[in-house]
Amino acid sequence: MTASLPYHRPGHQAAHITSMVRMRLQQQAAPLPRADGALLKAMLLILTAGVLATALAVYLTHRREDPTTGPQPARVGDVALMIPKDLTGIDDDGDTSRLVGMVRLRLDWPSLGPAVPENRKRLLVTLSPPDRVNEPARQLATYARFLTPTVWSNPGGLVVRGFRKGSPFENDEFYVSVPDGKGFAARCPVETGSGLDEPCRITFQHRGMDVNIRFPRAIIADWAVMLGGVRRTLDGLIRQG
């Protein structure tokens, strides 16, 4: 008879199986992933992505706006200018002026000359390419056809004349420097209820540009200071070369 090996015996097999089961039970099971930990990680990733996206948007926005904070180049006819942002003119509807071939400026009186009593001391200046219509002699000839013969004096060395009824300027008065009006010739409305803070207007030529100024009637006696300040300001804006 052939002898059986020990592990082939039923008793030994049962003991072996029992030992294996016991060893399996004693082994520590791998921890299952916690749902709250996974959720926390997802939230952190979302918050980080949001912060990075916001930072990138702010950076790109500021990068686009940076060039507009400095002086902006402009051209009026053959004249090249650099316009500071604080002098940029505003249209009547509140939008920044973007006139093609023209430039609009807003100047404050204190920067041009001595202070005057009025609270509103603003000049609106429009620069445009030269036009023969705005030559001093031609302007005076145009206005002279419609003026009344009555003349009266005004502070600042100016004389004032009215326009005939039925003329294109019948609601205006003409302020002229003596003796010939070539130094200053401006129109102001007789009635100031137009709603404009700068109802008076004058157009003259300077450095290859036509310069139109709208200004308050209250400063008309200081016309020489006003014109000198505007001319100096424009000279500082012209790019050389």
Side-chain angles (χ1 to χ4, degrees), residues 54-65:
T54 302
L56 179 61
V58 172
Y59 169 75
L60 293 177
T61 301
H62 286 184
R63 189 177 182 182
R64 287 194 300 267
E65 291 179 353

Side-chain angles (χ1 to χ4, degrees), residues 5 41-42 52 69 74 76 79 165 171 194 222 237:
L5 294 175
K41 290 181 179 179
L52 291 176
T69 59
V76 177
V79 182
K165 290 184 179 181
N171 296 320
S194 61
D222 295 308
L237 301 181

Side-chain angles (χ1 to χ4, degrees), residues 67-145:
T68 64
T69 59
Q72 298 299 300
R75 179 171 290 277
V76 177
D78 296 329
V79 182
L81 305 166
M82 290 295 290
I83 310 298
K85 188 176 181 180
D86 60 343
L87 298 186
T88 302
I90 304 298
D91 284 337
D92 294 336
D93 59 1
D95 294 332
T96 301
S97 174
R98 298 186 181 278
L99 302 175
V100 177
M102 305 172 70
V103 170
R104 185 164 292 168
L105 308 175
R106 183 183 64 247
L107 306 180
D108 293 325
W109 179 264
S111 65
L112 302 177
V116 293
E118 283 67 28
N119 294 328
R120 299 300 296 270
K121 298 179 281 290
R122 185 176 65 178
L123 311 180
L124 298 181
V125 180
T126 301
L127 309 177
S128 58
D131 189 329
R132 291 191 62 189
V133 173
N134 295 321
E135 293 177 354
R138 181 166 294 195
Q139 284 191 79
L140 293 174
T142 299
Y143 293 137
R145 293 182 295 159

Side-chain angles (χ1 to χ4, degrees), residues 16 50 65 141 149-150 161 183:
H16 180 67
E65 291 179 353
T150 306
R161 296 182 66 177

